Amino acid sequence: MADGAENERRILVAVDEGEESMYALSWCLKNLVSQNHKDTLILLYAKPARAVNTGLDGTGYLFSSDVTATMERYSQEVADCVVEKAKKLCKNLPEVKVETRVENGDPRDVISEMAEKLAADVLVMGSHGYGLIKRAFLGSVSNHCAQNVKCPVLIVKKPKAPSGDK
Amino acid sequence: MADGAENERRILVAVDEGEESMYALSWCLKNLVSQNHKDTLILLYAKPARAVNTGLDGTGYLFSSDVTATMERYSQEVADCVVEKAKKLCKNLPEVKVETRVENGDPRDVISEMAEKLAADVLVMGSHGYGLIKRAFLGSVSNHCAQNVKCPVLIVKKPKAPSGDK
């Protein structure tokens, strides 16, 4: 109950390159994270597996190992950058324990599996996470997670109007 | 921010006959409602329009006005009962303002429209809301709302194992 009950919660927040996932994290920090709970925030970034594990691009051409290495380095830099940005957002809440995870794989699978594995009490995510066209074919990541993850799922959309992030 | 900021929030909770929506409400009361915010909880029940506005059942037979009246009465009783049950869950939080709304229509439309109309800051709902077969054809209510509602949507599933409602 809100009035003083103290239970430990594991809040899993899926972050990616998009502004929306950072907005989702901010919303979570303002609205879900509470002094009445002992919260552990787990920031999860899913690093798409294709650029990492195979040398094949979508057209079937084999990349040289140089290109593959460059892509992997770039992919790791993006991951580090996203996680760092997310951690910065949390630094105003020193009472909250923050953990970070970077996992390889399709975001839909990674997020669903990690929610289970980490015994998350709630999953927080933006409503997007793929490009517009890819999403049309694959269905959105958040839809997939809302259907497959057992714990409560909070889906946050970034308001289009440039209002304060409430 | 969680540390003492005080902003007013309008939390819209979609309730129905199912246990899951009551679980979603409980989860919301324990995890989202907070003393750091001035929360108004709006309990919304969508009363399916078919039994109310038409005398036709799914097979095309016309019901007598007696039957229609009985169905309408029953439908209203269910609505009252659900809203009453939901209100009882909230009575331990006297600092939270509770409003109730009963609206006629398809739950998907009612919930999406009311989230907009009532300027909800967050929508809370169970992941179900239709029977299994109907859902397979129509898509779930929560899916529809997650896609169409602009504010953050929290979708709560009732755990299958008989654990405490955390």
Side-chain angles (χ1 to χ4, degrees):
Chain A
M1 222 54 86
D3 45 328
E6 199 163 291
N7 57 343
E8 294 182 26
R9 301 185 302 183
R10 296 171 67 75
I11 302 176
L12 181 62
V13 185
V15 292
D16 62 23
E17 300 85 335
E19 269 183 55
E20 195 174 56
S21 77
M22 292 300 154
Y23 179 79
L25 173 58
S26 299
W27 198 94
C28 163
L29 293 172
K30 285 183 190 162
N31 290 279
L32 189 59
V33 167
S34 159
Q35 286 175 324
N36 299 329
H37 299 272
K38 282 184 186 165
D39 289 328
T40 299
L41 213 63
I42 310 164
L43 307 172
L44 171 65
Y45 177 79
K47 199 162 61 156
R50 196 177 62 86
V52 181
N53 298 331
T54 80
L56 288 172
D57 69 0
T59 60
Y61 286 101
L62 193 64
F63 288 136
S64 73
S65 59
D66 273 7
V67 175
T68 311
T70 306
M71 283 167 73
E72 163 59 3
R73 209 162 45 237
Y74 173 71
S75 165
Q76 188 56 49
E77 275 169 18
V78 171
D80 293 344
C81 178
V82 169
V83 167
E84 212 44 51
K85 197 173 168 189
K87 272 168 78 178
K88 263 188 200 158
L89 282 178
C90 306
K91 72 176 179 190
N92 287 333
L93 296 174
E95 72 277 18
V96 177
K97 199 176 154 198
V98 178
E99 297 174 6
T100 61
R101 298 289 293 246
V102 175
E103 300 287 332
N104 292 321
D106 182 311
R108 292 173 301 172
D109 301 329
V110 166
I111 298 169
S112 305
E113 283 163 21
M114 293 308 283
E116 198 76 22
K117 197 172 162 186
L118 301 172
D121 292 303
V122 55
L123 164 65
V124 180
M125 61 194 307
S127 74
H128 295 100
Y130 276 129
L132 201 65
I133 294 172
K134 199 166 180 184
R135 195 164 62 243
F137 286 100
L138 296 174
S140 82
V141 182
S142 57
N143 254 11
H144 178 90
C145 292
Q147 280 172 359
N148 291 284
V149 169
K150 284 179 192 149
C151 71
V153 178
L154 176 67
I155 299 170
V156 183
K157 285 181 192 170
K158 193 166 181 352
K160 277 179 188 157
S163 66
D165 49 341
K166 196 169 174 186
Chain B
M1 219 59 83
D3 47 328
E6 199 163 292
N7 58 343
E8 293 182 26
R9 301 185 302 183
R10 297 172 66 76
I11 303 175
L12 180 63
V13 185
V15 292
D16 62 22
E17 300 85 335
E19 269 183 56
E20 196 173 55
S21 76
M22 293 300 154
Y23 179 79
L25 174 58
S26 299
W27 198 94
C28 164
L29 294 172
K30 287 183 189 164
N31 290 280
L32 190 58
V33 168
S34 158
Q35 286 174 324
N36 298 330
H37 299 273
K38 281 183 186 166
D39 290 327
T40 299
L41 214 64
I42 309 164
L43 307 171
L44 171 65
Y45 177 79
K47 199 162 62 157
R50 194 177 62 87
V52 181
N53 297 331
T54 81
L56 288 171
D57 69 0
T59 59
Y61 284 100
L62 193 66
F63 288 136
S64 72
S65 59
D66 273 8
V67 175
T68 311
T70 305
M71 284 168 74
E72 164 58 5
R73 210 163 43 238
Y74 172 72
S75 165
Q76 188 56 49
E77 275 169 18
V78 170
D80 294 344
C81 179
V82 169
V83 168
E84 213 43 53
K85 197 174 167 187
K87 273 169 77 180
K88 265 189 197 159
L89 282 178
C90 305
K91 70 176 179 190
N92 287 332
L93 295 173
E95 72 277 18
V96 177
K97 199 176 153 198
V98 178
E99 296 174 5
T100 61
R101 298 289 293 246
V102 175
E103 299 287 333
N104 293 321
D106 183 310
R108 293 172 302 172
D109 301 329
V110 166
I111 297 169
S112 304
E113 283 164 22
M114 293 308 284
E116 199 76 22
K117 197 172 163 186
L118 301 172
D121 291 302
V122 56
L123 164 64
V124 181
M125 62 194 307
S127 73
H128 296 100
Y130 275 130
L132 200 65
I133 294 173
K134 200 167 179 184
R135 195 164 62 242
F137 287 99
L138 296 174
S140 83
V141 182
S142 58
N143 254 11
H144 179 90
C145 293
Q147 280 172 359
N148 291 286
V149 170
K150 285 179 190 147
C151 70
V153 179
L154 175 66
I155 299 170
V156 183
K157 285 181 192 171
K158 193 168 180 356
K160 278 178 188 157
S163 65
D165 50 341
K166 197 170 175 184

